[in-house]
Amino acid sequence: MEIWINPACSKCRSALSTLDAEGAEYTVRRYLEDPPDAAELRAVLGRLGLEPWDIARTQEPAAAGLGLKEWGRAPEDRDRWIDALAAHPSLIQRPIITSDDGTAQVARTEDAVRDAMGRGGAV
């Protein structure tokens, strides 16, 4: 499994601690240094079963600069959101765990991390 993290994020560090405590095998992706492109975001959104606005951090300065809170949330707005997340990866909610079974989870709680591990990520 892979976990997208920002090392400065306490939720990300907590998720890594949980994975380590359980002996999980995983790959770390520092997504601010290695940002996903639009195609990769579409794939992860499909795995999450979410829309791009569902994983957007609308309180970030970049979101305010874009006026993100005012953007539409209809199917025709989807590509605009995805392009914004690809251009400004700090807007992506974290951490995100992609599990070996093809699913993904926004893992902001210990329960969510354990749920992701239970779907094929644990050793």
Side-chain angles (χ1 to χ4, degrees):
M1 86 178 130
E2 181 176 77
I3 181 169
W4 292 8
I5 68 155
N6 172 354
C9 169
S10 64
K11 300 281 186 190
C12 293
R13 292 191 308 268
S14 177
L16 292 174
S17 292
T18 300
L19 292 171
D20 290 342
E22 295 296 324
E25 291 183 22
Y26 61 92
T27 301
V28 171
R29 179 171 184 177
R30 293 179 178 210
Y31 72 95
L32 296 178
E33 298 167 17
D34 180 18
D37 62 19
E40 192 171 8
L41 284 168
R42 281 185 188 85
V44 167
L45 287 164
R47 292 173 79 170
L48 287 166
L50 297 173
E51 293 297 336
W53 45 85
D54 296 327
I55 66 164
R57 297 173 54 86
T58 59
Q59 303 300 324
E60 291 291 317
L66 294 169
L68 209 62
K69 286 185 179 182
E70 313 307 318
W71 288 13
R73 296 178 180 214
E76 60 270 15
D77 301 311
R78 191 171 202 268
D79 286 341
R80 181 181 187 199
W81 281 85
I82 290 171
D83 290 343
L85 295 175
H88 305 277
S90 65
L91 297 176
I92 301 170
Q93 193 61 257
R94 59 189 183 250
I96 293 177
I97 297 176
T98 56
S99 298
D100 295 342
D101 69 353
T103 61
Q105 177 98 18
V106 178
R108 295 188 52 79
T109 66
E110 187 173 327
D111 287 343
V113 174
R114 292 184 188 291
D115 184 50
M117 289 178 355
R119 288 185 276 130
V123 174

